[in-house]
Amino acid sequence: MIMQISSRFDGGAVEVVDASDGQNVRLRVRPDTAADFAQWFYFRVDGMAEQRCTYRFENAAQCAFPGGWQGYRVVASYDTENWFRVDAEYDGQVLAFSHRAEHDTVYYAYFEPYGEARHHQFLGRIRRQGIARVHSVGDSVAGRALECVTVGKDNGTAGEPTPVIWIVARQHPGETMAEWFVEGLLKRLLGLDDWAGDPVGRLLREHARFHVVPNINPDGAALGNLRTNAAGANLNREWLTPSATHSPEVLHVRNAIEQTGCDMFFDIHGDETLPYVFVAGSEMLPDFTERQTLEQRHFVDAFKTASPDFQDRYGYEADKYREDALKLASKYFAHRYRCLSLTLEMPFKDNADLPDGIHGWSGARSSALGAAMLQAVLAQVRAFPKSATQ
């Protein structure tokens, strides 16, 4: 058979320079639509069963995060369900990997994809369960619904004040581990699968109100972009002054949060370079309060107890985003509501503290981390029943 390479599917992205050899393929990482970010790739190869081929990304050094290629391994799958890692080498210019496919069709990606079909199937399952409400808070640039899962104690219920918790994922659509994380979190929160009867999820539903946006950038996800939406906007630089035409995704979610208030905010991401799980806080803000400091420290300690995958030794410098802090989601809401507001980062590579030679960091580990974070959220709700917004 003749080799065929395709990326004409949901989330697909690659540029083929030359595949005529059949054993040495020249590729380029395709930049985002309407932007120059390049790092995400996802493509399919047919006709290579039992044959070894070497693939070279010739523009790896010009990508958005060239340091991310150091120690990186490509993810591969024969069925788009079960993914494994393939060793790669980066010489400072070219990222190359060699693989002998066991079947006629093989998929390669930057990280384990989370497709639009899975997104809709999972949200449909939540609708059928009947515990949570799945609703749209607005439309994306291209007209896709921005879906939100709302569950928990109603704000109007008599009794103790209800903490309002917002979680958004995939501002950067190529950071697919973020939606895997949310899937695991929602399964535990709603008592799905192995979490049926879980007391953590039940207590949180009884004592808090959750609003979860699994994919705030559905256009970018479908287009196979790393960081931007269909208009070329990096959504996590739009929160201070979102645009109805350029970044409606941010505008709609921000408006929805204005309607409910916010006592905890979590923005879920992936980091291309650091092989660790960590959070970035808002302590660089000049109006960051002592209570926020206490809340942030308490949550980090509770999360470390909840999951050995989480740590606080490695991460971003506290002043990394000082210049444009309020353009970023977690910083904006820390300032707006004086609440616990964090950006969670997971690795594209592996967790150097607990490496997995077969899968590296994966969708399954991201889901497990999402479920584990709820234990830290419950500890936070108990220690701080209502934040300084009251």
Side-chain angles (χ1 to χ4, degrees):
M1 291 184 65
I2 298 174
M3 170 189 276
Q4 294 180 312
I5 299 177
S6 173
S7 60
R8 301 284 290 184
F9 48 79
D10 175 34
V14 77
E15 291 180 358
V16 180
V17 178
D18 186 4
S20 59
D21 184 304
Q23 292 183 323
N24 294 280
V25 175
R26 298 168 57 202
L27 303 169
R28 289 178 60 85
V29 181
R30 195 212 71 191
D32 288 3
T33 53
D36 59 1
F37 292 108
Q39 195 94 7
W40 173 263
F41 60 87
Y42 181 21
F43 61 99
R44 165 181 169 151
V45 180
D46 289 286
M48 292 301 291
E50 306 302 331
Q51 298 183 60
R52 180 169 291 278
C53 183
T54 298
Y55 305 87
R56 291 181 170 84
F57 287 103
E58 297 183 340
N59 65 333
Q62 288 75 54
C63 286
F65 302 95
W69 304 128
Q70 298 288 352
Y72 169 75
R73 294 182 294 156
V74 174
V75 297
S77 176
Y78 298 114
D79 59 6
T80 70
E81 290 290 331
N82 301 286
W83 294 84
F84 56 92
R85 294 279 178 164
V86 175
D87 288 341
E89 294 183 358
Y90 178 60
D91 63 5
Q93 295 297 320
V94 175
L95 176 75
F97 68 96
S98 182
H99 183 229
R100 182 177 181 272
E102 296 178 3
H103 301 281
D104 188 64
T105 298
V106 59
Y107 293 82
Y108 299 108
Y110 183 40
F111 190 80
E112 189 172 340
Y114 195 106
E116 190 171 18
R118 187 182 185 102
H119 170 91
H120 290 303
Q121 288 168 358
F122 183 60
L123 294 188
R125 185 181 176 194
I126 291 174
R127 287 187 184 95
R128 291 192 303 273
Q129 185 200 31
I131 292 177
R133 176 185 173 220
V134 181
H135 56 106
S136 172
V137 297
D139 290 338
S140 67
V141 169
R144 289 182 172 87
L146 303 173
E147 292 167 300
C148 179
V149 179
T150 295
V151 64
K153 182 183 175 184
D154 192 297
N155 293 336
T157 303
E160 65 182 24
T162 303
V164 177
I165 301 164
W166 275 88
I167 301 169
V168 301
R170 292 188 80 176
Q171 287 204 73
H172 298 150
E175 296 167 11
T176 55
M177 62 283 289
E179 193 160 4
W180 286 108
F181 175 99
V182 163
E183 181 179 304
L185 180 145
L186 285 172
K187 282 182 176 179
R188 186 175 192 181
L189 183 61
L190 300 175
L192 296 173
D193 297 339
D194 293 339
W195 295 110
D198 175 63
V200 172
R202 177 183 172 184
L203 283 170
L204 283 170
R205 295 196 307 270
E206 292 176 353
H207 296 283
R209 185 77 163 173
F210 284 80
H211 304 278
V212 183
V213 182
N215 186 353
I216 193 175
N217 195 343
D219 294 347
L223 291 167
N225 288 352
L226 171 73
R227 289 177 75 83
T228 62
N229 69 358
N234 177 354
L235 297 187
N236 205 27
R237 299 297 184 275
E238 296 285 321
W239 289 88
L240 188 60
T241 55
S243 161
T245 56
H246 192 61
S247 52
E249 300 89 349
V250 170
L251 181 63
H252 292 313
V253 172
R254 199 183 79 165
N255 287 344
I257 296 175
E258 285 291 329
Q259 293 175 10
T260 66
C262 186
D263 297 289
M264 291 186 218
F265 180 85
F266 300 98
D267 184 19
I268 314 302
H269 285 261
D271 185 87
E272 291 79 2
T273 303
L274 293 174
Y276 300 98
V277 177
F278 60 96
V279 292
S282 304
E283 59 272 15
M284 78 293 297
L285 298 177
D287 56 357
F288 196 67
T289 67
E290 290 185 9
R291 181 188 174 94
Q292 285 175 296
T293 301
L294 180 63
E295 289 183 340
Q296 187 168 298
R297 184 70 259 166
H298 183 274
F299 180 83
V300 167
D301 289 342
F303 202 174
K304 286 194 295 183
T305 299
S307 174
D309 265 330
F310 179 75
Q311 56 80 52
D312 63 350
R313 293 172 294 116
Y314 302 98
Y316 300 149
E317 295 295 327
D319 61 351
K320 178 177 173 67
Y321 295 113
R322 185 179 298 275
E323 292 297 321
D324 56 355
L326 294 184
K327 297 179 182 179
L328 280 69
S330 64
K331 284 49 170 168
Y332 175 84
F333 290 110
H335 168 75
R336 172 70 179 85
Y337 293 104
R338 301 293 193 269
C339 65
L340 174 70
S341 187
L342 297 169
T343 301
L344 172 72
E345 300 281 357
M346 291 171 281
F348 275 87
K349 302 174 185 177
D350 200 349
N351 183 349
D353 286 338
L354 290 168
D356 181 332
I358 297 175
H359 303 102
W361 191 258
S362 65
R365 289 182 78 177
S366 302
S367 294
L369 185 72
M373 194 183 83
L374 286 182
Q375 187 173 323
V377 172
L378 178 60
Q380 200 76 8
V381 168
R382 285 172 163 170
F384 306 95
K386 196 73 171 163
S387 82
T389 58
Q390 283 291 300

